[in-house]
Amino acid sequence: MKFYVDPGHGGADPGAQGNGMQEKDMTLDIAQRIRHLLTNDYNDVYVRMSRTDDSSKSLSERTNEANAWGADYYLSIHCNSYNGAAQGYEDYIHSSLSDSSTTAHYQGIMHNEITKVNQLSNRGQKKANFHVLRETMMPALLTENGFIDNDHDADLMKDASWRQTVAQGHVNGLAKAFNLERKASAGTLYKVIAGSFQSKENAENRTAHLRSKGIESFVAAVTISGKRWYRIQAGAFFVRDNAKARLEEVKKAGVEDAFITAE
């Protein structure tokens, strides 16, 4: 399976700007994380990126390269901006496509997996006549991962663990859409859960407390027995001893209700 991952903008084109950040930096960071997860965790997956550094590349160069390579799927990563008031996540396929198209089917899967974890308001699945959606010969999706000029979304973007989670959401969608086979070496994933709350505010307070102790964490919404819970994840490891070490750090930070899950 060949995925062409396109971090939007780059070089002389910074993209959207706000809160001391530039879109081109956020998209490159998330795209690199997507590539790492795909190539390390799944069999028979090949990833080519439109850029791997802060370089300029035209839209035509990107789509021509993906078409010439024979990519199976084109994934373009972006962030949004709009006067500081708008916020949330949305994604796009080309406006000419029907809701019953294969590309729309993939969009639905990707959208569901990304919005499960990204902590952004859901602005929906959309269509547009963007170049990278129109000129690609394979199914293509463009994701807009929050508004960089909105305080809420920007606070998330600044957190490396959030960008990792967003990358994982994209990869989860690709794995489900294309039935990717996980490598045996990936093994069991041990997650450190540092509490679970029905109040999102309480969960965010817990992550703030952990951050003050030097422990990165993020909030993930899950549904258990029909109820919405906000679970704090403070790390994920393929080596159980590493997970146990992180669990001890979390408990020393005063979080006694922390535990490890295995997937």
Side-chain angles (χ1 to χ4, degrees):
M1 187 62 60
K2 298 164 72 172
F3 296 114
Y4 190 90
V5 180
D6 173 27
H9 308 282
D13 175 14
Q17 301 176 69
N19 291 288
M21 297 181 291
Q22 298 185 106
E23 180 182 3
K24 65 176 182 177
D25 299 323
M26 295 298 104
T27 61
L28 180 59
D29 184 89
I30 292 170
Q32 288 175 325
R33 294 172 187 272
I34 290 171
R35 178 183 61 177
H36 178 82
L37 288 166
L38 283 171
T39 56
N40 281 272
D41 293 351
Y42 294 94
N43 288 317
D44 301 320
V45 170
Y46 305 91
V47 178
R48 179 170 291 186
M49 292 176 60
S50 61
R51 62 184 181 94
T52 57
D53 56 18
D54 184 20
S55 56
S56 297
K57 196 165 193 175
S58 71
L59 295 177
S60 293
E61 286 175 319
R62 298 172 197 235
T63 53
N64 288 346
E65 186 174 80
N67 291 337
W69 185 47
D72 295 298
Y73 195 66
Y74 190 107
L75 178 61
S76 190
I77 309 299
H78 286 260
C79 301
N80 236 324
S81 67
Y82 186 76
N83 73 24
Q87 64 183 91
Y89 168 84
E90 60 196 23
D91 47 47
Y92 292 85
I93 60 173
H94 192 254
S95 50
S96 66
L97 296 168
S98 73
D99 292 341
S100 59
S101 65
T102 298
T103 302
H105 172 67
Y106 292 151
Q107 180 186 27
I109 295 173
M110 294 290 293
H111 187 90
N112 288 339
E113 292 301 319
I114 295 167
T115 56
K116 278 181 186 178
V117 300
N118 66 6
Q119 303 173 63
L120 296 170
S121 58
N122 188 347
R123 296 171 60 88
Q125 299 170 226
K126 302 183 178 183
K127 298 179 183 179
N129 187 31
F130 297 143
H131 175 98
V132 297
L133 304 178
R134 183 183 66 250
E135 301 301 327
T136 41
M137 297 171 63
M138 69 293 300
L141 180 74
L142 185 147
T143 66
E144 292 278 8
N145 297 277
F147 284 73
I148 203 167
D149 59 348
N150 176 269
D151 290 344
H152 170 270
D153 290 7
D155 283 345
L156 292 173
M157 290 182 197
K158 291 174 182 176
D159 187 346
S161 66
W162 179 84
R163 298 194 301 272
Q164 181 70 21
T165 301
V166 168
Q168 186 67 67
H170 283 70
V171 171
N172 291 347
L174 293 172
K176 189 170 183 178
F178 294 96
N179 297 311
L180 302 183
E181 180 184 81
R182 180 175 282 275
K183 290 180 179 178
S185 59
T188 301
L189 184 65
Y190 299 98
K191 295 181 179 180
V192 179
I193 307 302
S196 191
F197 302 88
Q198 286 192 278
S199 164
K200 187 175 183 180
E201 182 180 357
N202 289 345
E204 290 173 343
N205 288 340
R206 174 64 58 83
T207 60
H209 169 73
L210 289 169
R211 193 173 298 117
S212 72
K213 302 293 185 180
I215 301 172
E216 289 294 337
S217 62
F218 64 90
V219 180
V222 297
T223 301
I224 302 174
S225 300
K227 291 184 178 180
R228 189 77 158 176
W229 291 85
Y230 296 96
R231 178 178 282 180
I232 296 88
Q233 184 174 316
F237 307 87
F238 285 116
V239 179
R240 185 173 179 83
D241 284 346
N242 292 343
K244 289 169 70 175
R246 173 57 59 83
L247 179 64
E248 288 305 311
E249 290 179 33
V250 170
K251 289 188 173 182
K252 285 178 181 177
V255 180
E256 291 298 325
D257 56 341
F259 58 93
I260 295 173
T261 64
E263 297 181 4

